[in-house]
């Protein structure tokens, strides 16, 4: 067998072009075979079909590039949960823009490693420009804001707690019951006290409960607020929280992984008022930014806030190299090898501009409100609340939690719809997290029809079994 060609270099594109054609055909064929948002049959069927199609993954003799690509990409696509399908709405799982995926291909072919300048000359400069620009969106009034590119909200939140610990020692974190699970996990990983969890009776942090917690606890305190919860998409009262942290001399971190991109929408950015008052902010562009995962951000008001992350490894950032002007990249992450995720983000922002990104955000939020209207106008369905961002909770009227959960799994098993689940007001709800700007009113009506039909069948089967 000849030595396989490489993706890089002047000859790389010629080697890639026929392989990409095979991949694109396989993506099309797999999606056509699936013919829906999810493969039908459940985990057992999907696993069986995948193994049957792919055969041994480490054969004694290779099958060749085109056969392997065609087989595995087709199988993976046929068995995928496709966020580009309008009935795939369970999670903050975005359908990536084609241009962002194309940029990601270039990043893979070039393969810069973002841990030293001599592995990523232009990529490191691009990342520095992008992170400075994104930090300025969050902190427009500070002279030298900065940001890091992360794998997502979990890593960003961990870094936020780490930086607070390095500033003040073993900080006590205070969060609400609506906070992302990564806050508690980060405290555990960093050896910090278990977070104080205060109530969120209406789905957002209760300022009165926060005032009481800040009064009771002493020493270094870090309040973590949420701008876009995973269950309901609600945004904590950021101004009230910022005022309280200022009064009690506590620090503030805002997890805006979901809601942060609202900054780009003149229509909706008011929901993030006081975001700039936080000591650190998490933002994910692989949610309401339509990037392939991963594309997380941690922003801080000053580049000096990132000094504790400095790390020395002579083969990557020798002192004399740094003194001679080679950028030191090790302090830009706790990871060593990193992909140049800045490229796809920069391509998207430059291609769409502020108005283009705002249009996508506004369009998707309007779609969520249209779904809420359809639910409100259907006597057989109950709406939890108007959407804050793009998350809509609903349930059939007069149902019970067991039937609702069964209905959701039935839709998954049939491959008809991918809906999430969330508990609010001590009841279980279907969760539709709308992130597809191409979703139409007809798509939404069809989704509700599928839900109603599956629920009616589940109700009848439950009555028969009793």
């Amino acid at each position: 067998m000849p030595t396989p060609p490489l993706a890089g270099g002047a000859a790389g594109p010629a080697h890639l072009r026929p392989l990409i054609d095979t991949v694109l055909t396989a993506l099309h064929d797999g999606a056509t075979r699936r013919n829906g948002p999810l493969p039908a049959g459940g985990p057992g069927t999907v696993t069986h079909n995948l193994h049957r199609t792919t055969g041994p993954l480490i054969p004694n003799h290779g099958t060749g590039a085109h056969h392997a690509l065609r087989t595995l990409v087709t199988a993976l696509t046929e068995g995928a949960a496709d966020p580009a399908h309008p009935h795939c709405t369970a999670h903050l799982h975005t359908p990536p823009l084609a241009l962002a995926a194309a940029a990601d291909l270039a990043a893979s072919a070039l393969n810069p490693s973002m841990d030293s300048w001599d592995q990523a000359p232009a990529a490191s400069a691009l990342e520095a420009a992008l992170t400075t620009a994104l930090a300025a969106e969050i902190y427009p009034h500070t002279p030298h804001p900065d940001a890091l590119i992360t794998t997502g909200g979990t890593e960003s939140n961990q870094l936020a707690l780490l930086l607070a610990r390095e500033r003040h020692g073993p900080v006590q974190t205070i969060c609400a019951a609506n906070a992302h699970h990564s806050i508690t996990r980060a405290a555990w990983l960093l050896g910090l006290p278990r977070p104080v969890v205060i109530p969120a009776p209406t789905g957002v942090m209760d300022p009165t409960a926060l005032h009481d917690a800040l009064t009771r606890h002493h020493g270094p305190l870090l309040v973590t607020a949420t701008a876009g919860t995973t269950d309901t998409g609600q945004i904590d009262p950021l101004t009230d929280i910022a005022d309280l942290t200022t009064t009690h001399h506590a620090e503030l971190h805002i997890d805006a992984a979901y809601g942060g991109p609202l900054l780009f929408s003149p229509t909706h950015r008011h929901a993030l008022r006081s975001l700039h008052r936080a000591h650190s902010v998490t933002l994910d562009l692989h949610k309401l930014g339509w990037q392939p995962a991963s594309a997380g951000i941690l922003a801080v008001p000053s580049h000096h806030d990132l000094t504790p992350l400095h790390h020395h490894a002579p083969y990557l950032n020798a002192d004399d190299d740094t003194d001679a002007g080679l950028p030191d990249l090790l302090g830009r992450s706790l990871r060593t090898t990193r992909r140049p995720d800045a490229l796809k983000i920069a391509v998207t922002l430059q291609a769409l501009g502020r108005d283009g990104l705002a249009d996508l955000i506004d369009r998707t939020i309007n779609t969520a409100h249209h779904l809420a209207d359809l639910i409100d106008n259907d006597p057989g369905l109950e709406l939890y609340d108007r959407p804050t961002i793009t998350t809509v909770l609903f349930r059939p009227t007069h149902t019970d939690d067991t039937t609702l959960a069964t209905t959701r799994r039935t839709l998954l098993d049939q491959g008809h719809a991918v809906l999430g689940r969330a508990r609010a007001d001590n009841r279980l709800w279907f969760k539709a997290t709308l992130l597809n700007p191409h979703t139409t009113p007809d798509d939404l009506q069809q989704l509700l029809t599928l839900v109603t039909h599956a629920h009616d069948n589940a109700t009848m089967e439950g009555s028969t079994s009793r």
Side-chain angles (χ1 to χ4, degrees):
M1 179 179 290
T3 303
L6 303 178
H15 298 310
L16 278 171
R17 188 165 284 111
L19 297 173
I20 291 171
D21 188 60
T22 297
V23 167
L24 296 177
T25 300
L27 287 170
H28 172 270
D29 292 348
T32 301
R33 293 179 192 178
R34 180 180 5 95
N35 192 31
L38 195 78
T45 299
V46 172
T47 300
H48 172 76
N49 289 343
L50 181 75
H51 291 169
R52 175 176 50 81
T53 302
T54 62
L57 294 181
I58 310 179
N60 290 330
H61 302 287
T63 61
H66 290 278
H67 182 275
L69 281 170
R70 184 167 54 250
T71 300
L72 290 169
V73 174
T74 302
L76 195 68
T77 307
E78 186 176 358
D82 182 7
H85 193 288
H87 298 161
C88 189
T89 65
H91 303 287
L92 287 163
H93 180 196
T94 192
L97 297 173
L99 69 95
D104 225 17
L105 169 65
S108 293
L110 293 169
N111 205 30
S113 184
M114 305 299 297
D115 50 305
S116 66
W117 182 88
D118 57 354
Q119 298 176 84
S124 61
L126 178 64
E127 180 178 274
L130 177 70
T131 51
T132 299
L134 288 173
E137 295 293 323
I138 296 169
Y139 297 106
H141 308 302
T142 60
H144 302 292
D146 205 350
L148 303 176
I149 293 183
T150 71
T151 54
T154 294
E155 183 186 351
S156 294
N157 289 339
Q158 289 172 357
L159 283 170
L161 267 66
L162 172 63
L163 292 172
R165 186 193 72 179
E166 293 305 294
R167 285 193 296 270
H168 303 294
V171 295
Q172 174 64 67
T173 303
I174 300 173
C175 63
N178 64 352
H180 193 261
H181 64 84
S182 61
I183 300 297
T184 299
R185 175 175 279 190
W188 167 68
L189 283 170
L190 295 167
L192 297 174
R194 187 172 181 83
V196 172
V197 180
I198 61 176
T202 63
V204 297
M205 182 182 285
D206 179 5
T208 301
L210 176 60
H211 169 76
D212 293 343
L214 288 169
T215 302
R216 287 195 315 269
H217 292 87
H218 303 284
L221 301 175
L222 174 69
V223 175
T224 65
T226 308
T229 63
T230 53
D231 275 353
T232 62
Q234 289 173 279
I235 296 174
D236 285 340
L238 302 182
T239 298
D240 292 343
I241 293 168
D243 289 345
L244 284 167
T245 57
T246 299
T247 299
H248 290 270
H249 307 291
E251 290 200 351
L252 173 62
H253 168 66
I254 297 178
D255 177 2
Y258 179 11
L262 295 181
L263 282 172
F264 291 99
S265 167
T267 304
H268 297 287
R269 65 180 299 137
H270 65 87
L272 299 178
R273 192 176 295 115
S274 295
L275 188 71
H276 66 283
R277 297 173 64 184
H279 292 81
S280 53
V281 173
T282 289
L283 182 150
D284 277 2
L285 291 168
H286 56 244
K287 293 183 171 66
L288 203 64
W290 296 279
Q291 298 300 293
S294 57
I297 302 292
L298 177 72
V300 292
S302 170
H303 61 85
H304 294 299
D305 295 326
L306 301 176
T307 300
L309 298 180
H310 174 73
H311 182 68
H312 192 242
Y315 77 103
L316 293 173
N317 59 349
D319 288 339
D320 58 323
D321 279 347
T322 302
D323 292 342
L326 296 185
D328 179 356
L329 304 185
L330 275 188
R332 306 298 298 175
S333 178
L334 294 182
R335 294 171 285 147
T336 303
T337 302
R338 290 190 296 120
R339 298 185 76 251
D341 289 315
L343 176 61
K344 62 193 175 191
I345 301 171
V347 166
T348 300
L349 294 175
Q350 189 168 89
L352 299 182
R354 294 177 186 277
D355 54 352
L357 191 57
D359 179 69
L360 285 179
I361 292 167
D362 295 349
R363 183 188 302 269
T364 308
I365 292 174
N366 289 341
T367 299
H369 281 275
H370 186 78
L371 177 60
D373 291 339
L374 290 175
I375 295 165
D376 254 345
N377 293 328
D378 189 332
L381 297 172
E382 178 184 355
L383 179 69
Y384 170 70
D385 201 357
R386 302 297 302 181
T388 302
I389 309 178
T390 67
T391 300
V392 181
L393 301 190
F394 68 101
R395 57 187 275 139
T397 54
H398 311 302
T399 193
D400 58 82
D401 288 357
T402 299
T403 304
L404 187 145
T406 300
T407 301
R408 175 181 174 271
R409 289 190 293 270
T410 297
L411 290 166
L412 292 175
D413 191 66
Q414 294 170 337
H416 288 168
V418 190
L419 286 164
R421 53 187 289 166
R423 183 161 291 278
D425 287 347
N426 203 31
R427 292 188 291 170
L428 193 63
W429 301 78
F430 289 124
K431 178 175 70 171
T433 308
L434 300 176
L435 291 172
N436 187 341
H438 293 275
T439 299
T440 68
D442 285 346
D443 293 327
L444 299 175
Q445 186 59 66
Q446 290 168 16
L447 175 63
L448 295 181
T449 300
L450 287 168
V451 169
T452 300
H453 181 71
H455 176 262
D456 290 347
N457 286 342
T459 302
M460 286 189 293
E461 290 172 6
S463 300
T464 303
S465 64
R466 288 193 291 270

